[in-house]
Amino acid sequence: MALSARSVTRSAVCRSRSSSVRVQAAAWTKVSTKDAVTANGGKLVVELADKSRVLLVIDDSTLYAVSNKCSHLGLPLVGKTPVFQAKIENKCVICPVHNTAFNLKTGEVEGEWCPKFPDLPFVGKLTPSKPLPTFESRYTASGEVEVFV
């Protein structure tokens, strides 16, 4: 049976009407304390309500919050094994697998994209350079760490 353009369009419209979209306003959310991050060597991974993980970093007394997933292949920057332990150098978090340096403030790639990853024929490094998501973060007067999510 052949479908006309009209029946395909109508079907798509009906499906989109039955789908619901949940919109949630961003807000400051308590995720940890300054003491907890400091006690963990200045790096601490926290889980948000939506199950995503954020890496908190204190570098030279400045607080940063970035996604804990490398934007190349989605591997953790800081994980449970010694293999996944990102370094903090020159205001950047460095992916332990690909050695890509992401600016802690902007998330932008600094230097070469995936220097440890081979530049394969025809596909290159599999994905183009992408910044790491960052989040606004702050300390409260009582030393709590909050992230704007």
Side-chain angles (χ1 to χ4, degrees):
M1 173 175 111
L3 295 175
S4 69
R6 184 179 176 130
S7 66
V8 171
T9 304
R10 189 174 355 173
S11 175
V13 169
C14 291
R15 272 197 302 271
S16 68
R17 286 183 186 156
S18 65
S19 300
S20 63
V21 176
R22 180 181 164 157
V23 177
Q24 185 171 346
W28 287 103
T29 305
K30 179 190 176 223
V31 294
S32 189
T33 63
K34 183 177 182 179
D35 289 342
V37 179
T38 303
N40 205 50
K43 294 185 294 189
L44 182 66
V45 177
V46 295
E47 189 171 289
L48 302 177
D50 67 358
K51 303 296 182 202
S52 62
R53 294 176 189 262
V54 172
L55 173 61
L56 303 174
V57 176
I58 298 176
D59 187 42
D60 290 334
S61 301
T62 303
L63 175 66
Y64 301 97
V66 298
S67 171
N68 193 45
K69 278 185 170 183
C70 177
S71 59
H72 182 231
L73 296 176
L75 297 170
L77 295 171
V78 174
K80 296 178 182 177
T81 67
V83 172
F84 295 111
Q85 295 303 314
K87 294 178 190 168
I88 307 300
E89 294 177 2
N90 302 319
K91 306 286 183 220
C92 291
V93 58
I94 301 172
C95 175
V97 177
H98 308 108
N99 220 35
T100 300
F102 298 97
N103 183 292
L104 283 165
K105 185 174 183 173
T106 65
E108 293 298 321
V109 174
E110 294 200 1
E112 183 183 351
W113 173 245
C114 300
K116 279 187 177 177
F117 202 79
D119 199 359
L120 303 170
F122 305 111
V123 294
K125 299 203 179 199
L126 297 182
T127 62
S129 175
K130 309 187 253 197
L132 188 67
T134 61
F135 304 89
E136 288 183 71
S137 56
R138 68 182 182 188
Y139 301 119
T140 65
S142 62
E144 294 177 337
V145 171
E146 294 181 333
V147 176
F148 195 70
V149 289

